[in-house]
Amino acid sequence: MRHALTGVFRAALLICIPVVLLGCAQAVDRRLEVPADQVTRAAVPGVPLIKQADFHCGPASLAMVMQWSGLDVTQSEIAAQSFSPGAEGTYLADMLGSARRRGQLAVPVTGFQNLLDEIAAGHPVIVFQNLGLNFALKWHYAVAVGYDLEARRIILHSGELDRMVMPLRLFERTWRRGDYWALVVLPPGELPAAAGEWDVLRAAEALERAGQLRAAQEAYAAGAARWPDHWLWQFGLGNTRYGRGDLQGARRAFLWARRLAPDVPEIRQNLAQVNRELGV
Amino acid sequence: MRFATQMKLAATVFMAVQLTLATQTTTAARAEMLSTGAAIDRYAAYADREFLLGELQKKEIRDEIIAQGVDPAEAEARLRALSDREIASIISQMEEDSAGAGAAGAVVGALLTVFIVLLVTDLLCLTSVFKFTRCATR
């Protein structure tokens, strides 16, 4: 094979690149780098501290974030929809699911930069940490509510320790062992600051699928305001309005979607169906 | 998924036009609402593929691919031959691998160039970095 003989140097290059790229030999501080214009310190006001019941750090974290957003819900109510007694814990998927069943927009985010951006935007962020080591696991959910880059620390609301101030380096290690998993839970009309469009779109659609049509409709409308050129927001808006019996509203959304993307067959089909039902 | 949303949107619209030619005639007859979820799945997959193909057109990436002794046209053909599932896996592995490296979910700049080149060399059996690429010539 000719391609295989392109030279020792190139082969060496190709071998070296993945090592750097996949972060195997990375110093810890590299992971904590932020752009020069990053807000130095930020804090999210009004997040309640909730003492967790045994093993209920997941439900307690969700309760803190949902109460912050104005929802009247308790730790034990959330636990009934998310906690797995057999595992003595709460699975990541159940964290998402229980937030969505309460009509909240739940969007996973990852990476240090996105975490800081969300906090700076005034959104508390649920973070998944391993406070122990890989051979001695101690999984934990906490709510990140503030940070200070100068003092190199992050402020967490932890159901176990109340308000916890953690050095950034230590936080990075515990969060890395949790695979940098984080979750933004917001009222559906408010969008995460750092999540990408497709992630928000999927989170809104998950609300629709969970039967939370009103919440889904709000999320689609907010998405349409932020990303006005993308037809899928109008398409989701049309489908949720249709699901709620608002045929005229659905028609308006599908017409708008068709203006944005004249040739998408899905839009045409749904518009045709709504027109038929309206007798237009 | 944060990176290059605009490119993806452009690609989405482009693909939508192409799709219509094939499906326009059949849709009018059916009477049912198509779900948002199915539409998202379908167009996100096209957007990802078009994003990768778009990257292949960039000069710095083309130069690097040629420097590896790979024909860009062949690279493009291999990329088109991947399934939606494989494309999705590749994109998510790129994002995962770069998340820990400070890029935080957004694959950009030099890192993205390296990813694309490695993806191409993977497809041509010169490297084996991505979990879901198969070596196509053997």
Side-chain angles (χ1 to χ4, degrees):
Chain A
M1 241 187 87
R2 194 173 59 85
H3 295 320
L5 301 172
T6 41
V8 177
F9 290 112
R10 294 208 179 108
L13 176 73
L14 285 170
I15 290 163
C16 292
I17 289 168
V19 177
V20 179
L21 193 90
L22 304 178
C24 306
Q26 205 116 54
V28 169
D29 280 345
R30 258 291 270 121
R31 299 165 192 266
L32 296 176
E33 267 179 17
V34 290
D37 62 351
Q38 180 73 39
V39 180
T40 311
R41 61 183 69 81
V44 184
V47 183
L49 268 167
I50 296 172
K51 193 86 185 157
Q52 73 184 57
D54 282 351
F55 306 113
H56 278 47
C57 56
S61 298
L62 277 171
M64 287 189 243
V65 173
M66 288 195 216
Q67 287 182 13
W68 162 83
S69 76
L71 224 59
D72 182 22
V73 64
T74 66
Q75 173 182 182
S76 56
E77 284 166 348
I78 294 168
Q81 293 182 330
S82 61
F83 187 70
S84 302
E88 292 186 333
T90 310
Y91 291 110
L92 302 182
D94 292 328
M95 295 286 285
L96 287 161
S98 63
R100 286 167 181 165
R101 280 162 73 185
R102 301 256 162 201
Q104 299 289 94
L105 187 71
V107 189
V109 293
T110 189
F112 188 60
Q113 179 70 56
N114 289 341
L115 173 66
L116 298 191
D117 284 348
E118 289 299 339
I119 296 170
H123 302 154
V125 184
I126 297 174
V127 290
F128 182 57
Q129 300 167 280
N130 175 6
L131 299 175
L133 293 166
N134 286 334
F135 60 87
L137 299 170
K138 187 177 186 329
W139 298 116
H140 188 60
Y141 293 101
V143 183
V145 296
Y147 69 86
D148 185 337
L149 292 178
E150 248 160 47
R152 310 289 297 160
R153 66 191 183 195
I154 189 160
I155 298 140
L156 304 166
H157 279 193
S158 167
E160 237 176 13
L161 296 161
D162 293 346
R163 193 165 176 277
M164 179 160 63
V165 179
M166 206 178 226
L168 275 184
R169 281 179 64 112
L170 175 58
F171 170 74
E172 195 277 335
R173 286 196 198 105
T174 62
W175 194 31
R176 189 198 320 161
R177 291 184 213 117
D179 227 2
Y180 300 105
W181 193 88
L183 179 65
V184 179
V185 177
L186 295 169
E190 195 168 334
L191 302 183
E197 182 181 8
W198 290 94
D199 288 337
V200 180
L201 197 47
R202 286 185 192 283
E205 192 274 326
L207 280 173
E208 187 186 338
R209 207 158 5 99
Q212 295 284 341
L213 294 188
R214 204 168 74 94
Q217 187 179 325
E218 268 184 69
Y220 287 133
R226 186 186 287 185
W227 293 285
D229 299 331
H230 193 178
W231 62 271
L232 264 168
W233 296 103
Q234 295 297 333
F235 187 73
L237 204 51
N239 275 348
T240 46
R241 283 178 181 162
Y242 177 86
R244 301 182 70 206
D246 176 11
L247 290 180
Q248 289 291 356
R251 182 164 185 269
R252 278 198 306 278
F254 289 132
L255 283 172
W256 194 341
R258 196 179 64 177
R259 253 202 309 280
L260 293 172
D263 300 309
V264 171
E266 283 87 347
I267 302 172
R268 288 168 166 267
Q269 177 165 337
N270 287 12
L271 180 59
Q273 176 65 24
V274 170
N275 282 343
R276 252 193 305 277
E277 289 183 36
L278 279 168
V280 183
Chain B
M1 203 179 293
R2 179 168 166 177
F3 70 85
T5 307
Q6 286 190 320
M7 293 188 64
K8 288 180 169 189
L9 289 186
T12 306
V13 173
F14 171 74
M15 285 309 295
V17 173
Q18 296 208 317
L19 278 166
T20 316
L21 298 174
T23 46
Q24 208 167 22
T25 47
T26 58
T27 49
R30 275 187 289 160
E32 64 186 48
M33 294 293 277
L34 295 172
S35 77
T36 319
I40 290 173
D41 286 345
R42 181 173 179 188
Y43 290 94
Y46 287 122
D48 286 342
R49 186 188 306 272
E50 291 304 310
F51 167 76
L52 291 175
L53 286 168
E55 288 300 305
L56 276 189
Q57 305 307 318
K58 286 189 183 163
K59 190 183 178 304
E60 68 266 29
I61 289 180
R62 273 186 107 79
D63 288 351
E64 190 55 44
I65 288 170
I66 292 165
Q68 301 302 326
V70 173
D71 174 9
E74 178 62 16
E76 206 178 306
R78 296 286 169 90
L79 203 52
R80 286 191 192 279
L82 292 174
S83 71
D84 287 351
R85 227 187 101 94
E86 286 168 318
I87 295 274
S89 309
I90 287 161
I91 296 276
S92 79
Q93 196 188 336
M94 282 186 186
E95 290 178 338
E96 276 167 29
D97 288 348
S98 60
V107 191
V108 287
L111 196 59
L112 180 59
T113 305
V114 171
F115 269 129
I116 302 284
V117 172
L118 284 171
L119 174 59
V120 166
T121 51
D122 260 26
L123 291 172
L124 288 155
C125 318
L126 301 175
T127 53
S128 179
V129 174
F130 288 94
K131 281 174 250 174
F132 289 88
T133 49
R134 52 191 154 61
C135 180
T137 56
R138 287 172 199 173

